[in-house]
Amino acid sequence: YELTVTDDRYAEPQYIGRENEVQTIRQKEALNAQQKLGMRNAGFLGFADKNDATEREISLKIVDVIRRIKPDYVITADPNLATECHSDHIKVGNAVKYAAMDALCDFYPEFIDGKTRDDAWRVKGVGFYYTDKPNTLIDITEFEELKMKSIRCHESQAEPALLAAIMLQQQMYAEGTQFKSAEPLRMLSNLQMHCFNLPVAK
């Protein structure tokens, strides 16, 4: 599943007031990329790029999706990347962290008919891409071409320099391994998500 948290719904004047009538450029691109990868669409949460919503407000909506889909793992951009300056990446990354933890709480955000919730869900872990502290390398050699094709579906953002940087990173992290191309991730188990700074088992 792929969930789109923020999109360009207010980036163009023709979209404003028509959020439920038309698909924006980036929404269409996201759906095309999902189709290319064979992924299911978990929806568009309704937040615009550069929105004023708090991390907690965004997290609450993500909790609902986690409880509906019941994923094993949740993957998002690393909000703690030292060089990250994109406020949406930081905000959404933190919101996903909170949601992955909070989805387990059967009293949150409220009781249902005076009883604990029956839709609480414990994920096995959370993972972060765009990270400078990877603890896991995934061999994507056979999927590299497909990955790049899916990224190119995002035509409004897939500039040549960005594509080159992505390819360079994949090859850089594969150096010294038997892989030709690798995806670096920072993975946390559900135990590590709560206080414990334990190493990730290889």
Side-chain angles (χ1 to χ4, degrees):
Y1 288 92
E2 192 270 335
L3 173 68
T4 302
V5 177
T6 68
D7 58 49
D8 59 333
R9 63 188 56 229
Y10 298 138
E12 299 288 342
Q14 67 264 27
Y15 298 151
I16 299 177
R18 303 182 64 199
E19 295 82 12
N20 298 321
E21 300 174 21
V22 298
Q23 287 183 339
T24 69
I25 290 174
R26 291 191 181 178
Q27 287 174 346
K28 291 176 182 177
E29 291 173 347
L31 293 172
N32 288 339
Q34 291 168 20
Q35 184 176 31
K36 184 77 67 177
L37 293 169
M39 299 180 72
R40 296 181 182 180
N41 180 37
F44 298 93
L45 280 193
F47 295 103
D49 293 339
K50 301 303 177 186
N51 67 83
D52 293 328
T54 66
E55 291 175 350
R56 184 59 67 186
E57 289 169 335
I58 296 173
S59 178
L60 278 168
K61 285 200 171 185
I62 299 173
V63 166
D64 289 339
V65 176
I66 290 175
R67 287 172 170 168
R68 172 169 54 87
I69 292 176
K70 302 188 182 331
D72 290 326
Y73 291 87
V74 179
I75 310 293
T76 188
D78 191 342
N80 303 118
L81 173 65
T83 57
E84 182 61 84
C85 300
H86 195 307
S87 58
D88 287 343
H89 291 182
I90 296 170
K91 184 187 294 187
V92 171
N94 280 326
V96 171
K97 283 169 49 176
Y98 304 149
M101 187 76 192
D102 294 343
L104 172 64
C105 301
D106 60 8
F107 58 86
Y108 181 80
E110 60 192 2
F111 294 118
I112 303 296
D113 297 326
K115 299 177 182 178
T116 54
R117 310 178 65 93
D118 61 6
D119 61 350
W121 180 253
R122 180 195 294 271
V123 298
K124 294 179 180 178
V126 62
F128 302 95
Y129 59 89
Y130 290 159
T131 183
D132 55 357
K133 297 180 177 64
N135 55 19
T136 304
L137 287 180
I138 305 296
D139 180 8
I140 64 167
T141 303
E142 64 177 300
F143 302 107
E144 182 178 45
E145 182 177 351
L146 177 59
K147 174 185 174 179
M148 299 309 296
K149 284 181 179 179
S150 72
I151 293 174
R152 291 188 187 96
C153 288
H154 298 273
E155 295 180 20
S156 64
Q157 302 179 82
E159 301 174 355
L162 174 63
L163 297 174
I166 292 172
M167 290 289 293
L168 179 63
Q169 176 175 272
Q170 293 167 178
Q171 294 165 6
M172 179 184 73
Y173 275 101
E175 290 180 2
T177 74
Q178 70 271 35
F179 312 148
K180 292 183 179 179
S181 184
E183 187 78 33
L185 298 172
R186 180 163 65 92
M187 298 298 299
L188 303 177
S189 69
N190 52 30
L191 176 63
Q192 292 163 319
M193 288 163 56
H194 189 190
C195 304
F196 297 99
N197 186 28
L198 299 171
V200 172
K202 299 298 183 182

